[in-house]
């Protein structure tokens, strides 16, 4: 079945979140069980208080059933995010490297397991500031002289979600630039 034209260009934010749920994360199970074989792999053993590494989708499912505590990724703590925000603001030319599914992972963890995270309100605020800082850099980059002349836009260290957000505008803008250049050449 063919997709509608507006869905052919890229993934939606929900689809990015779905893909992020394949990332692995540590949990502390609240139950005992030997290894479990699922279609996506073999996970376990689950013995409290030892950590187990599982995909995010399984961790979220167990958390909803109150069968585990989720161990936050090391980058999802107030100190590291504060440092990242500081570096992001200081680096006017580029983007700081982030985990591949940074925004999506943080969002689902804050929505489903805020009790397992240190200072969730502060985390939300820091994540929002980081996102706004990066979006401002993208806007400035799109308005720069190099992009307007059809050269390039530096997108190193952008996450897939950020690339997905700018793709429609960028494709349309580059198409218009090509048409304008053709018109100038004809004259």
């Amino acid at each position: 079945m063919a997709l509608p034209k507006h869905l052919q260009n890229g993934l939606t934010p929900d689809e990015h979140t779905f893909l992020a749920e394949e990332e692995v994360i540590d949990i502390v199970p609240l139950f005992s069980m030997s290894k479990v074989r699922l279609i996506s792999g073999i996970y376990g053993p689950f013995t409290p208080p030892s950590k187990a590494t599982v995909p995010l989708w399984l961790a979220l499912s167990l958390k909803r059933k109150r069968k585990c505590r989720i161990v936050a990724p090391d980058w999802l703590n107030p100190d590291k995010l504060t440092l990242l925000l500081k570096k992001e603001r200081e680096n006017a030319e580029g983007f700081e490297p982030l985990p591949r599914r940074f925004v999506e992972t943080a969002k689902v963890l804050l929505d489903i397991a805020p009790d397992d995270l240190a200072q969730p309100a502060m985390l939300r605020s820091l994540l929002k500031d980081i996102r706004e800082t990066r979006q401002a850099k993208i806007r400035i980059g799109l308005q720069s002289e190099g992009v307007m002349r059809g050269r390039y836009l530096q997108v190193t260290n952008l996450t897939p979600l950020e690339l997905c957000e700018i793709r429609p505008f960028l494709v349309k803008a580059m198409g218009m630039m090509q048409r304008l250049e053709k018109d100038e050449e004809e004259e």
Side-chain angles (χ1 to χ4, degrees):
M1 184 172 144
L3 288 173
K5 191 152 186 87
H6 70 280
L7 293 178
Q8 293 175 359
N9 293 332
L11 299 174
T12 65
D14 288 336
E15 290 168 330
H16 280 282
T17 302
F18 178 77
L19 293 173
E21 290 181 1
E22 286 298 321
E23 302 286 324
V24 294
I25 194 164
D26 289 335
I27 63 168
V28 176
L30 302 175
F31 64 98
S32 294
M33 178 186 257
S34 61
K35 292 183 179 183
V36 60
R37 182 181 306 267
L38 301 174
I39 292 173
S40 61
I42 300 170
Y43 306 106
F46 301 104
T47 53
S50 299
K51 290 181 184 178
T53 302
V54 298
L56 184 57
W57 63 265
L58 182 56
L60 297 174
S61 177
L62 291 171
K63 178 64 180 175
R64 285 184 187 112
K65 296 174 184 174
R66 296 188 178 115
K67 299 285 185 184
C68 76
R69 282 187 316 107
I70 294 177
V71 178
D74 61 340
W75 53 264
L76 192 57
N77 72 55
D79 295 334
K80 290 205 177 181
L81 289 180
T82 302
L83 181 62
L84 177 67
L85 178 60
K86 182 181 175 198
K87 286 181 181 179
E88 195 71 57
R89 286 180 174 161
E90 290 172 355
N91 182 2
E93 295 299 313
F95 298 92
E96 289 299 310
L98 298 174
R100 182 165 169 77
R101 302 288 182 185
F102 178 80
V103 174
E104 303 95 313
T105 303
K107 182 184 181 328
V108 295
L109 288 176
L110 283 165
D111 287 349
I112 295 172
D115 55 321
D116 292 338
L117 304 174
Q119 303 174 3
M122 185 176 186
L123 289 176
R124 285 182 201 277
S125 176
L126 287 167
L127 289 164
K128 182 179 178 215
D129 291 345
I130 291 168
R131 187 151 163 76
E132 288 173 355
T133 301
R134 290 172 70 91
Q135 286 176 335
K137 283 185 187 182
I138 290 170
R139 279 192 301 277
I140 290 168
L142 290 173
Q143 294 170 357
S144 72
E145 192 70 25
V147 173
M148 288 303 159
R149 294 191 187 268
R151 291 194 182 111
Y152 70 93
L153 173 66
Q154 180 70 22
V155 294
T156 305
N157 293 330
L158 286 183
T159 64
L161 183 62
E162 290 169 329
L163 289 171
C164 182
E165 289 172 342
I166 67 169
R167 182 180 293 130
F169 170 77
L170 200 56
V171 169
K172 191 173 186 178
M174 291 300 169
M176 292 174 89
M177 292 303 296
Q178 285 179 339
R179 276 186 258 135
L180 289 172
E181 285 177 6
K182 284 181 185 176
D183 291 344
E184 286 178 5
E185 289 173 5
E186 290 174 1
E187 291 177 2

